[in-house]
Amino acid sequence: QVTVRDALNQALDEELERDERVFLLGEEVAQYDGAYKVSRGLWKKYGDKRVIDTPISEMGFTGIAVGAAMVCLRPVCEFMTFNFSMQAIDQVINSAAKTCYMSAGSIAVPIVFRGPNGASAGVGAQHSQCFAAWYGHCPGLKVISPWSSEDAKGLLKASIRDDNPVVMLENELLYGVPFEMSEQAQSKDFVIPIGKAKIERQGTHVTLVSHSRPVGHCMEAAAVLAKEESFFFFFQVINLRTIRPMDIEAVEASVVKTNHLVTVEGGWPQFGVGAEICARIMEGSAFNYLDAPAVRVTGADVPMPYAKNLEDNCMPQVKDIIFAVKKTLNI
């Protein structure tokens, strides 16, 4: 078993070793080994030119990273939380995402923006926002949202090797969680293709689609319902892994099979990832296979409260997923 933190560290270590153009920069990533210890040991191994501590100035160091990417380096730019990427969103969108198109393809921007996204625990509204819908909205970006250790390692390696700007939305509460990693996933050549969802659990009655930490909640909800003696239904859990480009074909194929759809996300409901999935299903041929309206499970439509009891009720829980499943099955 390997924690998500260690899987990310493996990916960074292997890519720094493989390609001398790769470098990591951000607040406390070097001498302190990273705010979340994701970059543990990398500064000692690769030195000041490859692992760079920056001032607390997101607009500044993000601009430096984007400029470096434009001259053929491959920076990995860490935000201590994606809430702080708001300080640098002009660099991410206007400088990184749009440059390849505006230069008619002559300027590539191979950069990865990574760090924890969404709610953690007891950090208040200004540190708890999910940016999957924000960055997923923007052409020119690829947007990754991993769940397991294999997701984290394979997708980070693929992102660093990609010639496009990639936003990698990790989850702070997953960093210390161990997952089984196959022997293949621990090899230096292991990558996961960007834009491909994964079926985490096979089922025939309801499709549960999620990304990041809520995938685990979906797995738990499916396991709880499978144990109910009076509940003869089986749930297919899809881990999106990539928000943009979205693997809507995998979702459509599952809906054709199960005839029911529930989406689960930690972000706000309005214009969210679940809303996009529901719209795409409605516009496509899979809509004709739905036996009931799709149901969304999301974070509450309020800024995140600081109080723990309120915070818990603002994030999707296993009980919320179970309620949504029973609602779409009309039981």
Side-chain angles (χ1 to χ4, degrees):
Q1 289 198 328
V2 178
T3 64
V4 171
R5 173 185 291 109
D6 290 339
L8 291 166
N9 182 269
Q10 280 182 28
L12 288 168
D13 188 10
E14 291 168 9
E15 293 305 301
L16 284 162
E17 183 178 54
R18 187 187 71 88
D19 189 342
E20 64 181 12
R21 296 172 299 171
V22 176
F23 69 97
L24 173 66
L25 79 166
E27 295 156 0
E28 299 185 345
V29 299
Q31 296 187 44
Y32 188 65
D33 280 340
Y36 308 100
K37 306 308 175 194
V38 169
S39 55
R40 184 192 290 119
L42 299 181
W43 174 67
K44 289 180 180 177
K45 184 173 181 179
Y46 295 101
D48 289 326
K49 290 186 177 180
R50 305 288 302 284
V51 183
I52 304 168
D53 277 331
T54 65
I56 303 174
S57 177
E58 283 78 12
M59 174 65 89
F61 69 74
T62 306
I64 290 170
V66 172
M70 289 178 178
V71 292
C72 300
L73 297 178
R74 291 185 172 270
V76 179
C77 178
E78 177 178 309
F79 296 117
M80 196 176 288
T81 152
F82 259 94
N83 297 270
F84 301 157
S85 75
M86 293 286 287
Q87 300 291 329
I89 202 163
D90 180 61
Q91 300 287 10
V92 177
I93 304 301
N94 285 324
S95 299
K98 299 176 182 177
T99 292
C100 185
Y101 176 83
M102 294 182 72
S103 66
S106 64
I107 302 175
V109 189
I111 185 171
V112 179
F113 304 102
R114 53 156 296 272
N117 168 72
S120 177
V123 292
Q126 292 174 323
H127 299 75
S128 299
Q129 188 171 337
C130 175
F131 287 89
W134 282 52
Y135 288 117
H137 179 66
C138 300
L141 291 177
K142 293 184 178 181
V143 183
I144 309 297
S145 186
W147 171 53
S148 67
S149 298
E150 284 199 8
D151 290 350
K153 181 179 179 182
L155 288 167
L156 180 53
K157 287 172 71 74
S159 301
I160 292 171
R161 298 180 188 190
D162 201 287
D163 288 333
N164 299 280
V166 179
V167 171
M168 184 157 177
L169 304 170
E170 300 155 12
N171 187 289
E172 182 182 339
L173 296 177
L174 286 175
Y175 281 146
V177 177
F179 289 88
E180 294 285 344
M181 275 187 79
S182 65
E183 191 174 329
Q184 176 195 4
Q186 303 215 40
S187 77
K188 292 185 177 182
D189 299 320
F190 177 71
V191 294
I192 292 174
I194 293 173
K196 291 294 181 184
K198 180 184 179 184
I199 297 174
E200 299 286 353
R201 181 187 178 108
Q202 292 285 354
T204 53
H205 293 95
V206 180
T207 297
L208 294 168
V209 186
S210 190
H211 65 95
S212 190
R213 187 167 174 257
V215 174
H217 297 335
C218 290
M219 296 289 282
E220 189 176 339
V224 168
L225 287 170
K227 292 178 181 176
E228 286 193 19
E229 293 182 8
S230 59
F231 206 77
F232 302 106
F233 297 97
F234 301 96
F235 311 103
Q236 184 146 309
V237 179
I238 296 179
N239 173 11
L240 276 179
R241 300 200 294 199
T242 305
I243 306 301
R244 185 183 186 104
M246 185 180 287
D247 189 0
I248 201 65
E249 292 82 8
V251 181
E252 286 178 329
S254 183
V255 169
V256 168
K257 177 182 175 183
T258 67
N259 310 117
H260 298 88
L261 174 64
V262 175
T263 68
V264 185
E265 63 188 305
W268 294 317
Q270 191 155 320
F271 313 116
V273 174
E276 174 66 16
I277 293 169
C278 292
R280 300 276 283 275
I281 292 297
M282 188 192 72
E283 292 166 351
S285 59
F287 176 72
N288 298 314
Y289 290 84
L290 281 176
D291 288 343
V295 177
R296 291 181 294 158
V297 179
T298 71
D301 196 21
V302 296
M304 183 63 72
Y306 175 73
K308 187 179 188 308
N309 60 330
L310 297 177
E311 181 184 62
D312 288 344
N313 282 298
C314 281
M315 291 189 286
Q317 307 291 328
V318 171
K319 61 181 175 62
D320 302 318
I321 300 169
I322 292 172
F323 177 83
V325 166
K326 291 184 176 181
K327 179 181 177 182
T328 193
L329 291 172
N330 196 30
I331 56 175

